[in-house]
Amino acid sequence: GAVVSQHPSWVICKSGTSVKIECRSLDFQATTMFWYRQFPKQSLMLMATSNEGSKATYEQGVEKDKFLINHASLTLSTLTVTSAHPEDSSFYICSARDPGLAPVNEQFFGPGTRLTVL
Amino acid sequence: KNEVEQSPQNLTAQEGEFITINCSYSVGISALHWLQQHPGGGIVSLFMLSSGKKKHGRLIATINIQEKHSSLHITASHPRDSAVYICAARRNQFYFGTGTSLTVIP
């Protein structure tokens, strides 16, 4: 099956620093990648949708200047949390989609990255 | 009100029991997904369905489009089934339920 990896799996950083999270599709080309955030005991919330080679589309309430998304290749998307603060501590999950895979529009989820900002 | 409601929120079962998790949604959808989230947070997509019923091993998922309702069943439950099960309704985007935390006791 299609595999999506994330790196790092967990990260602890100081307040004010920037953190980059990578999402890779390992055995398929992901024309679209999605970034989600999950706070403890809450459901996943979509942050943004990125299509390869174009700017990401952010959901309402998500600051695009704070959460920088780059989808420069068909197998890699990055999420950079800039000037991280403790309230950004969360579990960040990416998913990837390849319209060429059957069934169409299936999404494959990465294992997630746990960010803790001190 | 959430677009997707799941019940129960928490479920404890004895090994071997038949388990049902319910999902109701209020939006028109193109597909409904059942996801499994393990304690470490990783998510696995179990089913994607738009009508009828699908079966994979001990897992069965059903959907009734008219009633906007889906169920996930686990037969002969096992401790390794312990996880959070999330229902997600897809329209142009995903609408996620809050999840059902399942604990199967040996």
Side-chain angles (χ1 to χ4, degrees):
Chain A
V3 178
V4 175
S5 70
Q6 279 185 242
H7 178 79
S9 56
W10 59 270
V11 56
I12 301 172
C13 69
K14 291 183 178 179
S15 185
T17 61
S18 294
V19 174
K20 180 185 283 188
I21 302 170
E22 294 185 349
C23 176
R24 292 181 186 273
S25 58
L26 298 186
D27 49 3
F28 67 101
Q29 293 183 328
T31 53
T32 305
M33 287 185 170
F34 305 86
W35 286 96
Y36 299 90
R37 181 167 53 182
Q38 185 181 36
F39 292 108
K41 298 198 182 297
Q42 293 187 26
S43 188
L44 288 81
M45 296 294 294
L46 178 65
M47 298 176 67
T49 302
S50 72
N51 292 296
E52 185 267 336
S54 61
K55 289 184 179 180
T57 302
Y58 290 81
E59 296 300 302
Q60 192 171 10
V62 178
E63 300 174 59
K64 62 180 181 181
D65 294 329
K66 181 170 182 62
F67 299 98
L68 302 178
I69 292 173
N70 184 288
H71 191 168
S73 79
L74 285 171
T75 60
L76 173 64
S77 176
T78 60
L79 167 67
T80 301
V81 183
T82 61
S83 187
H85 289 278
E87 58 265 30
D88 298 323
S89 298
S90 187
F91 191 62
Y92 292 86
I93 304 167
C94 74
S95 69
R97 185 174 78 191
D98 177 2
L101 288 176
V104 175
N105 289 329
E106 177 66 272
Q107 285 190 28
F108 302 95
F109 288 85
T113 296
R114 189 164 301 281
L115 170 64
T116 302
V117 184
L118 303 176
Chain B
K1 185 182 185 299
N2 293 332
E3 289 85 357
V4 179
E5 299 279 354
Q6 279 185 245
S7 64
Q9 287 189 331
N10 297 285
L11 180 57
T12 301
Q14 289 288 334
E15 183 174 357
E17 283 187 10
F18 180 84
I19 289 164
T20 296
I21 300 171
N22 294 301
C23 173
S24 296
Y25 53 92
S26 57
V27 294
I29 65 168
S30 54
L32 186 124
H33 296 244
W34 281 101
L35 311 173
Q36 181 190 53
Q37 186 171 30
H38 289 281
I43 292 177
V44 174
S45 179
L46 298 175
F47 294 104
M48 183 181 77
L49 63 165
S50 54
S51 65
K53 174 180 171 179
K54 287 189 177 180
K55 183 176 189 293
H56 185 250
R58 295 181 294 107
L59 302 177
I60 303 167
T62 63
I63 188 168
N64 184 316
I65 298 294
Q66 286 74 27
E67 294 185 3
K68 292 191 167 80
H69 181 269
S70 176
S71 294
L72 176 69
H73 306 285
I74 304 175
T75 62
S77 60
H78 190 276
R80 63 175 174 266
D81 297 326
S82 299
V84 174
Y85 292 84
I86 302 169
C87 168
R90 181 167 57 77
R91 193 174 181 176
N92 295 318
Q93 65 178 65
F94 272 126
Y95 297 89
F96 292 95
T98 52
T100 295
S101 179
L102 171 65
T103 302
V104 182
I105 301 171

